[in-house]
Amino acid sequence: MPKEHKKRGRREEKKRKREQEEDRPESKRHKSEDDPDTSIIVDSGHQDDGADYIPIAGPGELPFYGLLDEEEQEYFKRADSMLELDQFNDAEERALFLANVYKEANGKELKIANSQSCSRLMERLILMSTSKQLKALFQKFSGQ
């Protein structure tokens, strides 16, 4: 009598286990959608979802703060390359440039920090900023 042809590999093994589990009868009870006892009311406790509101993600979820548009992303990439080259004539010129970058980034700090390409700019800003600028930045990160 010929042997049964078995496929080898992790995917086939997972597929076989899944098929076996589907064949077994379920011992768990399923709640009906019409049952009023199973309804869950979620109250965020936050009345005003304004521009300063930062949503808190559940376990295993990452909050989404939005995306930078193409013009903003290009601006911040150029600013990052300027800071990387560090070809400013004096400290005053660099301080003025940093102040302008902070002015442009106002309200977009979390978007910049979560952007893969622009998060490097945020790192450079933190390294080159004054204590006053750092305090303001971290207050925005903490939501104050």
Side-chain angles (χ1 to χ4, degrees):
M1 180 180 228
K3 284 186 172 181
E4 179 184 339
H5 178 67
K6 290 186 177 180
K7 292 184 179 179
R8 296 172 48 182
R10 282 182 272 150
R11 289 183 184 164
E12 273 304 312
E13 191 175 312
K14 287 180 183 178
K15 186 177 177 183
R16 272 186 267 137
K17 284 182 182 178
R18 208 175 322 121
E19 288 174 355
Q20 289 174 356
E21 288 175 3
E22 288 175 0
D23 293 341
R24 292 186 206 155
E26 292 285 328
S27 61
K28 296 180 180 178
R29 295 185 314 170
H30 292 289
K31 295 181 181 179
S32 68
E33 293 177 14
D34 299 332
D35 189 7
D37 295 335
T38 62
S39 63
I40 298 173
I41 299 172
V42 178
D43 183 17
S44 66
H46 195 277
Q47 300 298 325
D48 181 29
D49 291 337
D52 294 339
Y53 175 67
I54 299 175
I56 298 181
E61 295 178 13
L62 293 176
F64 180 70
Y65 300 109
L67 297 173
L68 296 168
D69 64 15
E70 289 182 34
E71 290 177 8
E72 293 170 334
Q73 200 145 14
E74 190 61 36
Y75 172 81
F76 291 122
K77 282 181 187 178
R78 280 187 276 126
D80 182 42
S81 64
M82 291 278 292
L83 289 173
E84 183 179 8
L85 294 174
D86 198 24
Q87 295 179 342
F88 300 105
N89 293 332
D90 55 359
E92 185 179 327
E93 188 176 328
R94 184 173 69 187
L96 183 63
F97 181 78
L98 285 172
N100 287 333
V101 171
Y102 269 108
K103 185 178 176 182
E104 187 67 32
N106 189 21
K108 303 171 193 161
E109 293 86 357
L110 292 171
K111 291 179 184 182
I112 294 169
N114 285 316
S115 170
Q116 186 175 7
S117 60
C118 295
S119 63
R120 291 186 185 100
L121 169 68
M122 190 60 67
E123 292 173 13
R124 279 189 219 290
L125 284 176
I126 290 170
L127 291 173
M128 297 180 165
S129 297
T130 64
S131 59
K132 184 178 176 182
Q133 290 170 328
L134 287 174
K135 182 179 178 182
L137 177 67
F138 287 124
Q139 283 179 339
K140 289 183 181 184
F141 282 152
S142 68
Q144 294 182 358

